[in-house]
Amino acid sequence: MPAHSDSSILGVLRPVGGGDPIPLKKHELFIGRRPANDIHLDFENVSGKHCSLRLINGVWMVRDLGSTNGTTVNGLTITSEHTVMPDDEFGVATHLFHIDYEPSGPEAVISKSEVFDDDVLEERKKHSLMELAGIDVEDRPAPRTRAKTAPAKIERLSADEAEFDDVLPDYIKKAPTPVVAPTDDDFLKLIEDEVKPPPKQ
């Protein structure tokens, strides 16, 4: 790895929510609770040697070093080295940071959706409440789908053809056809007949 003078700043580590910015002056830095680290974070939930930052081909990469409370990128726990772009948020345990820098090189054009490894992608797939609760849902039946085309015509059986025709009582079978309800014209004619004067004798 090429040597750089201490005066060259390769990026600035900025705590989310405020705090002193930390200049990144080396191509590889170690972050942890021990004072010997390049970036010393004196918090109980930070491991002695928690994670490392490396500038590779113009892009900062973060790797967890077997920490107790994990290292995250945009809220997802990482299990291998990952890029950290300027708008990404990476976490050391519960302590969140952005890195201010100008990315360059081929890694800078990688779609961020392709950055995460299989372990993180599996974590993203767990989106239902049952899965997040750890309940096995593999044996769940597949969701039913609607038929793509409806039948052209729905066949309806007549009363004579119905399967339950044999069990209908005779009085229902022999019931007369319903009388059609009277219309407004029928009602007016009835009123006219009522008010018509009786014929003269």
Side-chain angles (χ1 to χ4, degrees):
M1 197 171 288
H4 286 263
S5 66
D6 289 344
S7 61
S8 62
I9 294 178
L10 305 172
V12 178
L13 189 66
R14 296 189 183 277
V16 173
D20 294 333
I22 302 165
L24 306 178
K25 297 182 178 181
K26 290 167 33 176
H27 275 68
E28 183 170 18
L29 303 107
F30 292 95
I31 301 174
R33 196 175 69 248
R34 292 181 194 149
N37 286 290
D38 300 291
I39 299 172
H40 176 216
L41 297 179
D42 191 14
F43 300 103
E44 287 186 4
N45 60 348
V46 174
S47 295
K49 200 171 190 179
H50 197 104
C51 62
S52 67
L53 286 175
R54 291 200 302 163
L55 187 64
I56 301 174
N57 295 328
V59 176
W60 281 103
M61 311 283 287
V62 62
R63 177 187 288 276
D64 186 75
L65 300 175
S67 66
T68 302
N69 294 307
T71 303
T72 59
V73 174
N74 295 326
L76 297 172
T77 301
I78 63 171
T79 57
S80 61
E81 194 162 52
H82 287 284
T83 59
V84 182
M85 304 303 283
D87 55 345
D88 287 336
E89 187 176 84
F90 91 91
V92 181
T94 56
H95 310 282
L96 305 176
F97 301 89
H98 289 289
I99 302 178
D100 285 349
Y101 74 106
E102 288 295 328
S104 62
E107 284 84 354
V109 297
I110 294 176
S111 169
K112 289 202 295 181
S113 64
E114 298 172 356
V115 166
F116 299 99
D117 63 10
D118 292 340
D119 293 337
V120 175
L121 289 175
E122 282 300 319
E123 194 167 324
R124 277 186 170 178
K125 288 177 188 174
K126 296 180 181 177
H127 56 276
S128 76
L129 290 175
M130 289 179 68
E131 288 171 309
L132 291 172
I135 298 171
D136 187 13
V137 293
E138 289 181 2
D139 297 332
R140 232 177 4 184
R144 289 181 292 178
T145 55
R146 293 183 179 178
K148 292 184 179 177
T149 55
K153 181 180 179 184
I154 298 175
E155 297 292 339
R156 295 182 184 276
L157 295 176
S158 67
D160 294 334
E161 296 171 323
E163 293 178 3
F164 52 85
D165 185 53
D166 294 339
V167 299
L168 289 176
D170 287 339
Y171 71 89
I172 291 180
K173 292 181 187 177
K174 295 177 182 177
T177 305
V179 178
V180 178
T183 64
D184 289 343
D185 292 338
D186 295 332
F187 185 65
L188 290 171
K189 187 173 183 304
L190 186 65
I191 293 175
E192 287 175 3
D193 290 343
E194 289 291 326
V195 297
K196 197 179 288 183
K200 290 182 180 179
Q201 296 292 338

